[in-house]
Amino acid sequence: MTENKDFLKLKSGTDIRGVAIDGVPGESINLTDDVLEKIATSFAVWLSQEKNKNFKNLSVSIGHDSRISAGRIKSVLVKTLSTLGIKIFDCGLSSTPAMFMTTIDLNCDAAIEITASHHPFNRNGLKFFTNNGGLDGADIEKILNGAEKKFNFSKADRLFVRKVYYMKTYAARLRKIICDGIGEKEESKPLSGLKIVVDAGNGVGGFYATDVLKPLGADISGSQFLKPDGNFPNHMPNPEDKAAIKSVIEATLRNHADLGLIFDTDVDRAGAVDCDGNEICKNSLIALASKIALKNNFGGTVVTDSVTSDGLHDYIESELHGVHDRFKRGYKNVINEAKRLNSQGINCPLAIETSGHAALRENYFLDDGAYLVTKIVIELVNLRRQDKNFSDILDKLKKPIESVEFRLKILCENFKIYGEKVINDLFTYAQNRNGWKIASDNKEGIRISFDKTSGNGWLLLRMSVHDPVMPLNIESNEVGGIKLILQNLEEFMKKYTEMNHEELLALKKELDKEFEEIKAQGLALDMSRGKPSNAQLALSMDMMDVLKGDSDL
């Protein structure tokens, strides 16, 4: 790396990410020791200016997830920063949220977590925090721009590096929150009688089973993949990954557990599964978190990302009597919007993204998967006291019949300009279509609702936060609705030759074929004698399965 633009390629939103080890063909290491040293030095300069302190008066905590490249990266950071005179607290294996909390509990000026979240084993990266929260994208850009500068700092006479196992303190805090939330003392083992399965995916999250739930009396015997292993031999630690969700659902049902929990690698995201094997992720997770957050904040605002469903909007506003602010993708965008609203006197207790990033105001607006599931555990205990379960809350959330997401690649160099043109053109096009309605409250891309004659659902077309891609989300409240929406959209999309929309056409062709095959069978559901037989139900279910909410499409 010899130019600023090369360093800037390591920017991933509000993080720094790159290739840290060999192992994937065509991906060479760009997080070298030299690159890391330059980034660390530039960060030190940024922090010194931010805090108005010289190096010797600064303190930085450093932790890492289970990735196999973490040791090398930590060694470079510790050596570089301590040599400048900065006090270093080496926290070892740690979750990302715990590292932020060191800026509160250990009074560190900053914290660094070495992680690449849910990305493949050969990747790694850096997340930075001060006591004001995670750094913004502009801060990361400034650090990376400074990494190319040549600094000539003298070495400190004395190095300060102290090992601190902060995760023990962090886990104790979560245990106390549970006890306070259910009105019991830790000594009474208040979670006795509950069986909770934790799937850590060989990331950092295993501590939640062994150091939070088990000491409180919960049966964690069905938990899996708790041992940290940066090769991720079982499945990727990612609450959005289908294989990961399937794994935790199976474990929850197999062990007859009351609750299943799943974390991403560094535990800033989470998902859950109820006792019946129903996943609580995306819209259902937001609904549950909103129920919890608005309990003592009647009429409060919940900020989400842009791809949330119409059913969730109705649930927050009609069932919970809250206000739904559907904002932009990017967890930092959602968090910053919630902070902005509160600064204007608007009661906003929750910022949450469909990816599982959830930040509550009561917890520093920190996206903390472990804190979120702690609140969920408390909710479960309190529901059980009323002979209720999560289904009593979530059954009122209307779910789409069909749901699909495409990622349309933009092939030209000026992809942002091209993407914005597509969105603006679609806005004009939609205004003149019967049965189409442009959402007035949308803040990202374009969101269009379709009446029952046009697909009975909605679509959202937007630019990706980082990539030359236009994600297209479509939901419908009836079988065949997505097919109809795609037919309506096909005419508009044809002229955009710099966009690869073969995926759209392939799906439409597949749906046409399946529809004609079913139609050719001449199937009929005979209701003339009342309740249909099992054979009739089986036939109807095959028809319904052409497209369903959890389709792989």
Side-chain angles (χ1 to χ4, degrees):
M1 288 191 171
T2 57
E3 298 180 9
N4 282 34
K5 66 180 182 180
D6 291 323
F7 276 96
L8 288 174
K9 289 178 181 178
L10 297 173
K11 181 179 181 291
S12 178
T14 55
D15 302 339
I16 290 172
R17 287 183 188 156
V19 179
I21 58 171
D22 292 320
V24 176
E27 295 190 6
S28 57
I29 298 173
N30 54 11
L31 282 181
T32 63
D33 289 3
D34 179 61
V35 166
L36 289 164
E37 182 179 343
K38 289 177 178 179
I39 292 173
T41 302
S42 182
F43 168 70
V45 172
W46 176 89
L47 184 62
S48 175
Q49 294 171 347
E50 184 75 10
K51 295 293 184 178
N52 195 25
K53 294 181 179 180
N54 57 37
F55 292 152
K56 68 179 182 179
N57 291 322
L58 290 172
S59 61
V60 174
S61 59
I62 300 176
H64 59 83
D65 68 16
S66 58
R67 292 174 183 275
I68 55 182
S69 57
R72 174 181 70 85
I73 294 174
K74 184 181 75 171
S75 294
V76 175
L77 298 182
V78 170
K79 180 181 178 182
T80 303
L81 296 176
S82 64
T83 299
L84 292 173
I86 297 173
K87 298 179 180 67
I88 301 298
F89 294 92
D90 179 357
C91 296
L93 187 72
S94 303
S95 71
T96 291
M99 292 312 299
F100 164 77
M101 289 303 299
T102 62
T103 68
I104 306 297
D105 291 342
L106 302 183
N107 200 31
C108 292
D109 293 294
I112 304 174
E113 170 79 349
I114 302 167
T115 181
S117 188
H118 59 282
H119 288 269
F121 74 96
N122 67 321
R123 302 298 183 100
N124 217 326
L126 307 173
K127 290 187 177 183
F128 302 93
F129 297 91
T130 67
N131 59 358
N132 292 321
L135 271 60
D136 286 318
D139 299 317
I140 298 300
E141 189 168 323
K142 187 173 182 180
I143 290 168
L144 289 173
N145 280 327
E148 185 58 29
K149 296 178 181 179
K150 292 184 178 181
F151 299 101
N152 187 25
F153 297 118
S154 59
K155 293 184 178 180
D157 296 330
R158 186 177 180 183
L159 306 186
F160 180 100
V161 180
R162 177 182 296 174
K163 289 188 178 296
V164 178
Y165 186 60
Y166 177 74
M167 287 299 292
K168 183 177 180 180
T169 302
Y170 177 71
R173 174 177 178 260
L174 296 176
R175 292 197 304 271
K176 184 178 186 304
I177 291 170
I178 291 176
C179 291
D180 290 345
I182 60 180
E184 301 281 351
K185 293 185 177 181
E186 184 170 335
E187 295 77 16
S188 67
K189 304 293 182 183
L191 298 185
S192 295
L194 276 182
K195 188 163 191 175
I196 302 178
V197 165
V198 174
D199 184 330
N202 303 111
V204 179
F207 84 94
Y208 196 81
T210 57
D211 299 344
V212 178
L213 298 176
K214 187 176 180 180
L216 296 180
D219 180 355
I220 62 167
S221 58
S223 297
Q224 58 187 17
F225 318 138
L226 303 185
K227 184 179 179 180
D229 184 343
N231 290 299
F232 308 126
N234 295 290
H235 61 69
M236 287 306 298
N238 181 3
E240 290 188 290
D241 182 77
K242 291 179 181 178
I245 288 296
K246 182 174 183 288
S247 180
V248 71
I249 288 174
E250 290 174 349
T252 302
L253 293 175
R254 182 173 62 248
N255 291 281
H256 306 288
D258 300 293
L259 179 66
L261 301 173
I262 183 169
F263 298 106
D264 74 341
T265 317
D266 59 326
V267 200
D268 60 0
R269 292 187 297 136
V273 177
D274 71 12
C275 60
D276 296 317
N278 299 307
E279 63 178 282
I280 304 175
C281 296
K282 299 183 179 180
N283 288 297
S284 57
L285 182 66
I286 297 174
L288 180 56
S290 299
K291 171 75 172 178
I292 293 169
L294 293 176
K295 190 174 295 184
N296 297 316
N297 291 281
F298 185 83
T301 296
V302 174
V303 179
T304 73
D305 58 344
S306 58
V307 300
T308 48
S309 69
D310 288 344
L312 177 68
H313 181 82
D314 292 341
Y315 182 86
I316 292 174
E317 301 214 336
S318 299
E319 183 65 29
L320 302 182
H321 307 290
V323 176
H324 181 201
D325 184 344
R326 188 186 279 128
F327 198 58
K328 302 175 181 178
R329 284 286 277 184
Y331 70 92
K332 192 64 174 169
N333 289 331
V334 173
I335 291 172
N336 285 344
E337 173 67 2
K339 288 181 175 180
R340 184 189 70 81
L341 292 176
N342 279 287
S343 70
Q344 294 183 351
I346 298 172
N347 180 17
C348 178
L350 174 65
I352 182 168
E353 200 183 29
T354 48
S355 64
H357 284 282
L360 285 97
R361 181 178 58 200
E362 66 188 50
N363 190 43
Y364 307 96
F365 271 124
L366 170 67
D367 50 319
D368 185 345
Y371 190 90
L372 175 64
V373 301
T374 293
K375 303 292 286 189
I376 290 174
V377 169
I378 293 169
E379 186 70 15
L380 176 61
V381 172
N382 290 328
L383 283 171
R384 288 296 183 89
R385 289 171 174 172
Q386 305 170 54
D387 293 322
K388 293 182 179 180
N389 211 323
F390 290 127
S391 59
D392 294 285
I393 295 176
L394 297 177
D395 279 353
K396 297 176 182 178
L397 171 66
K398 185 179 179 181
K399 298 179 181 178
I401 301 298
E402 299 176 354
S403 178
V404 69
E405 178 180 282
F406 302 98
R407 293 180 65 81
L408 309 177
K409 294 181 181 179
I410 299 176
L411 307 177
C412 61
E413 185 174 353
N414 296 322
F415 62 89
K416 289 186 178 180
I417 295 175
Y418 192 86
E420 289 301 325
K421 174 175 170 48
V422 173
I423 290 170
N424 291 334
D425 289 352
L426 182 56
F427 188 92
T428 302
Y429 182 82
Q431 287 179 315
N432 301 314
R433 301 284 296 185
N434 292 328
W436 295 30
K437 183 180 179 181
I438 300 170
S440 59
D441 63 343
N442 189 57
K443 300 180 176 71
E444 182 175 43
I446 180 171
R447 187 182 181 106
I448 303 171
S449 295
F450 300 89
D451 66 15
K452 290 185 178 181
T453 66
S454 304
N456 194 14
W458 59 269
L459 71 74
L460 173 71
L461 181 66
R462 61 184 177 85
M463 285 298 303
S464 169
V465 178
H466 311 300
D467 304 317
V469 169
M470 297 192 76
L472 172 63
N473 295 81
I474 308 177
E475 287 188 1
S476 175
N477 297 314
E478 63 183 46
V479 175
I482 286 181
K483 178 176 179 289
L484 186 54
I485 291 172
L486 286 176
Q487 286 177 334
N488 289 327
L489 194 61
E490 183 179 9
E491 179 185 345
F492 170 79
M493 298 295 292
K494 282 180 179 178
K495 62 182 179 181
Y496 295 98
T497 57
E498 294 294 333
M499 180 186 295
N500 185 352
H501 42 83
E502 293 180 2
E503 189 180 1
L504 283 176
L505 299 177
L507 175 62
K508 179 179 176 296
K509 185 177 180 180
E510 181 182 340
L511 295 178
D512 287 339
K513 180 181 177 182
E514 291 186 3
F515 179 76
E516 291 301 324
E517 288 175 351
I518 291 176
K519 184 178 177 182
Q521 295 179 40
L523 300 175
L525 184 62
D526 185 2
M527 298 291 289
S528 61
R529 290 180 293 174
K531 184 178 179 180
S533 67
N534 289 335
Q536 288 173 320
L537 285 173
L539 286 173
S540 67
M541 289 308 296
D542 286 341
M543 296 172 67
M544 294 288 285
D545 282 342
V546 171
L547 256 185
K548 55 186 180 180
D550 59 353
S551 169
D552 288 335
L553 295 173

